[in-house]
Amino acid sequence: MATSAADAPLTVSTDGTAGPYVVVVSQQLGPVIDAMRTEGIGFRVDQDAVMLDGAPALAVINLGLNADVDRVQAILDRVADDLQSKGRRRLRSPTREVLIVRGNPGEMQRLRKRIDSGVHGGWDRRTDVEERFQRTLPPQAVAYCFSKLVPAVERRAAVLMQGRGSGMGEELHLSEVVPLEGHGQFDLDQRNRVVSDFRETFVKPLAQALGVRVVDRSVSAVPNLEELLSTEAMAQLRAFARAANKGDSHELDLQQWAGFIGQTHLDNAVVDLDQLEAWLADDGFTEEERRALVREFESGRRLLSAYDDERLE
Amino acid sequence: MPSIADVVASLVAAPKPVICLDTCDILEVVQCLDWEKPGTPRSVACIKPVRHLLTTLAVNPDRALVVVTDLVHTEWNQNIDGIRKKAHEFLAKIDKIVGSSYNAAGLVGTALAVYDPLASKPLVDDLVSLSTALLAQATRLDLDPALSSLALDRVMDKRRPSHDGHIKDSINFEHYLELARRLRATGFVEAVAFVSKNRKDYWEGDKDRIHPDLKPEIDDPTVQLQFFGSLTATLPNMGL
């Protein structure tokens, strides 16, 4: 899931032995690169973006072993301020922890040898699960499963990691966290506690003194409206919100709202009404206006669907 | 290939939630690499729940039973090559669109990072692998001629999901109804769900809930088949 450029932190990381680096979301990449170029900072961007749930949401900028970390951080702070001033304020949505380990093939091979060498941090290797997991992945994929009774959630958890990159050896990312026993999934908080335990007791000790990077971040756990709607529908929604007389709605506003409704219908978009209302709230519409607009949206879509059905019959 | 009676027997011996899939739910993970309409790509949100379901079942195969009919299996095989081809064409088109922007950038001196064409990546093959894995995960129900005959009745009577004359949806629907009915007759209390993104035949307009014409059939106390418009909606409701 993408995080927004306005929300994502911009920090120089110094863990590992491969030199300081910066992890950026795709919208931050251009502004950060431009700012560093302007300041004469040397860097190299990893060719492959780091994947999050299949979305290339993050990129790693390597600064080199001799980088002036304080100077780069000052540049990043300026870029972050600038992006926040331009970015749209977002409602605080629930987040989940992601975990990615990256390195060159040699270093990742050393890491994998350490993984193969036995139990670490109380996490047992589950080769039985790995075999089943492997069957659900592309043939060349690397798959790992570890399990532990995690004290923070008082439940046995299975953490699945899979590889990506050339030969699937240059990146391992946390694919899923699943309860090993019983019914129901972990809630977000429990999931994050398991990831935190895995990172601190398994991944970080294993990665120590290796030239690999442990990238951990919180990302939005729910897709936002911008990700769910087409660019045309979002453009209509934004145009409506910009032009609307908030607190004193006008007939013209409703015409623009109808345009948005029509566009979502043309797109066949399934719109979560709570999410739509939250977007409107975030944009300054009163509760009364929001309710009226959502009602209008529902009835508009119902009418358009009925019209389509009539035409088909 | 097990009959409905075989599947019922195994579920009664080891109860677990049941997820019945439509062909489109399995093909969708490849089919999402296409245009919703000119200029608008389809959503790829369908991939995540499939990945999640398969991983959950890899960790604990007793969490749920995924079921398809033999017809779903046949339809998947009939369609996958065409869908794979369309996905490749989609990526080639994206490469062409990006290439055009790069040509423009070259003409005015705008600096752009090197573009690695999507068509050279194994993305489509990997999605086909995922779709294949979901199909392989499913228990394949043998077709029952009596249920196919009931499906034909729906076509003759122009009843959903065959109101527009197609029989395949009714064959699947009759088998899933019967599976749920026979399970409930044994006192089976786990959830039995039917998932289909087929809006035209199953949905109530744009709402991902069952069409009112079909609701009484799935809500019948002797059936209790839950309907979902996507795996995204299904999994949390099944505790997965």
Side-chain angles (χ1 to χ4, degrees):
Chain A
M1 213 59 61
T3 51
S4 85
D7 298 340
L10 274 174
T11 312
V12 180
S13 300
T14 54
D15 57 283
T17 60
Y21 62 100
V22 184
V23 179
V24 295
V25 300
S26 54
Q27 303 98 314
Q28 290 170 326
L29 184 61
V32 168
I33 285 176
D34 288 346
M36 292 206 294
R37 278 198 181 122
T38 304
E39 296 283 340
I41 303 287
F43 62 88
R44 183 176 58 80
V45 181
D46 260 9
Q47 191 185 3
D48 293 330
V50 172
M51 84 166 26
L52 292 176
D53 273 349
L58 303 178
V60 177
I61 302 173
N62 295 296
L63 299 172
L65 290 169
N66 299 319
D68 182 341
V69 171
D70 291 338
R71 186 165 165 234
V72 175
Q73 187 59 58
I75 295 167
L76 295 179
D77 291 344
R78 281 206 308 275
V79 174
D81 287 345
D82 189 40
L83 286 171
Q84 272 167 6
S85 67
K86 289 177 186 165
R88 184 175 187 276
R89 188 174 62 81
R90 284 162 59 109
L91 288 176
R92 192 177 295 275
S93 62
T95 58
R96 62 188 176 79
E97 303 290 319
V98 296
L99 186 59
I100 299 140
V101 186
R102 284 176 70 84
N104 66 43
E107 293 298 299
M108 288 300 285
Q109 201 169 18
R110 287 177 66 196
L111 177 79
R112 289 171 62 184
K113 276 187 182 156
R114 287 187 181 181
I115 291 174
D116 290 338
S117 69
V119 176
H120 307 277
W123 289 91
D124 297 320
R125 182 93 177 262
R126 293 295 303 263
T127 51
D128 54 335
V129 176
E130 281 175 12
E131 278 174 28
R132 291 194 293 266
F133 182 40
Q134 182 78 61
R135 287 200 290 267
T136 73
L137 298 175
Q140 72 277 25
V142 174
Y144 286 106
C145 178
F146 309 95
S147 79
K148 177 183 177 178
L149 178 60
V150 179
V153 295
E154 296 178 331
R155 199 170 173 191
R156 188 163 281 279
V159 171
L160 294 110
M161 297 198 82
Q162 76 182 81
R164 189 185 76 129
S166 310
M168 294 284 186
E170 294 173 24
E171 178 190 302
L172 283 175
H173 71 272
L174 189 145
S175 173
E176 288 275 3
V177 177
V178 183
L180 203 58
E181 301 141 352
H183 290 283
Q185 288 293 342
F186 289 124
D187 63 28
L188 260 184
D189 180 56
Q190 290 170 325
R191 183 195 178 281
N192 289 343
R193 285 166 190 251
V194 173
V195 175
S196 177
D197 186 297
F198 184 67
R199 183 184 59 230
E200 297 304 321
T201 67
F202 183 89
V203 176
K204 282 192 173 172
L206 269 187
Q208 214 159 31
L210 288 181
V212 298
R213 284 172 176 151
V214 180
V215 179
D216 53 344
R217 280 187 98 114
S218 293
V219 298
S220 172
V222 289
N224 59 50
L225 215 53
E226 283 86 344
E227 289 164 324
L228 294 171
L229 295 181
S230 69
T231 45
E232 292 89 347
M234 268 322 294
Q236 296 251 28
L237 181 59
R238 287 199 190 97
F240 161 74
R242 261 198 313 274
N245 299 286
K246 289 165 190 151
D248 181 23
S249 58
H250 191 271
E251 184 61 28
L252 201 60
D253 297 343
L254 288 178
Q255 278 180 28
Q256 284 201 303
W257 185 243
F260 166 65
I261 296 169
Q263 186 63 52
T264 61
H265 182 73
L266 285 172
D267 295 339
N268 250 345
V270 178
V271 179
D272 181 321
L273 298 179
D274 292 337
Q275 208 165 19
L276 179 60
E277 189 174 348
W279 193 96
L280 293 167
D282 193 29
D283 214 85
F285 287 89
T286 65
E287 190 176 348
E288 195 182 341
E289 287 170 330
R290 293 193 312 262
R291 283 187 184 163
L293 288 169
V294 169
R295 266 199 312 274
E296 184 85 5
F297 183 88
E298 269 196 297
S299 68
R301 287 293 299 267
R302 193 164 46 237
L303 192 65
L304 289 166
S305 294
Y307 173 72
D308 285 349
D309 285 348
E310 283 299 318
R311 287 194 65 189
L312 277 173
E313 284 170 10
Chain B
M1 209 180 318
S3 65
I4 289 180
D6 297 333
V7 174
V8 169
S10 72
L11 281 166
V12 168
K16 57 181 121 175
V18 181
I19 303 172
C20 304
L21 297 180
D22 201 350
T23 318
C24 48
D25 305 318
I26 310 172
L27 289 171
E28 189 184 14
V29 292
V30 188
Q31 217 166 13
C32 64
L33 288 189
D34 202 351
W35 303 102
E36 181 69 43
K37 59 179 182 173
T40 305
R42 286 185 179 163
S43 164
V44 297
C46 57
I47 299 171
K48 189 177 175 183
V50 171
R51 184 70 267 150
H52 177 74
L53 174 63
L54 290 175
T55 307
T56 300
L57 294 176
V59 171
N60 186 350
D62 291 331
R63 291 293 300 278
L65 182 73
V66 180
V67 173
V68 296
T69 64
D70 185 42
L71 177 61
V72 167
H73 202 274
T74 304
E75 275 193 293
W76 187 92
N77 278 304
Q78 286 170 342
N79 287 291
I80 190 65
D81 286 343
I83 289 169
R84 183 204 303 260
K85 184 167 172 278
K86 284 191 88 174
H88 278 300
E89 286 169 359
F90 172 80
L91 294 186
K93 184 70 114 181
I94 300 282
D95 285 341
K96 196 172 176 190
I97 291 168
V98 176
S100 165
S101 305
Y102 268 70
N103 284 342
L107 292 169
V108 293
T110 304
L112 295 174
V114 174
Y115 178 69
D116 201 357
L118 293 169
S120 65
K121 303 291 180 191
L123 175 58
V124 175
D125 290 340
D126 289 350
L127 291 174
V128 172
S129 291
L130 183 64
S131 181
T132 307
L134 180 58
L135 187 69
Q137 179 71 50
T139 295
R140 188 168 149 194
L141 284 181
D142 198 8
L143 293 183
D144 180 336
L147 297 171
S148 298
S149 174
L150 288 176
L152 189 59
D153 290 346
R154 286 182 188 264
V155 177
M156 308 291 268
D157 300 343
K158 292 194 171 179
R159 275 191 292 130
R160 273 185 196 273
S162 294
H163 55 298
D164 59 358
H166 297 113
I167 194 171
K168 287 179 178 174
D169 289 308
S170 283
I171 291 176
N172 291 330
F173 191 59
E174 288 292 353
H175 280 77
Y176 297 149
L177 280 176
E178 183 63 10
L179 173 64
R181 194 177 293 119
R182 291 206 206 171
L183 281 169
R184 297 305 177 209
T186 68
F188 188 81
V189 294
E190 298 281 358
V192 184
F194 170 43
V195 189
S196 179
K197 59 163 266 191
N198 176 350
R199 297 182 184 204
K200 186 170 68 65
D201 298 321
Y202 292 110
W203 288 31
E204 183 185 352
D206 67 307
K207 302 276 185 206
D208 58 346
R209 55 187 182 223
I210 195 80
H211 193 279
D213 291 355
L214 297 170
K215 192 167 168 34
E217 294 187 76
I218 68 164
D219 284 352
D220 189 300
T222 63
V223 175
Q224 297 173 57
L225 178 66
Q226 292 176 268
F227 177 80
F228 297 98
S230 65
L231 267 179
T232 309
T234 312
L235 300 185
N237 277 285
M238 309 284 279
L240 293 166

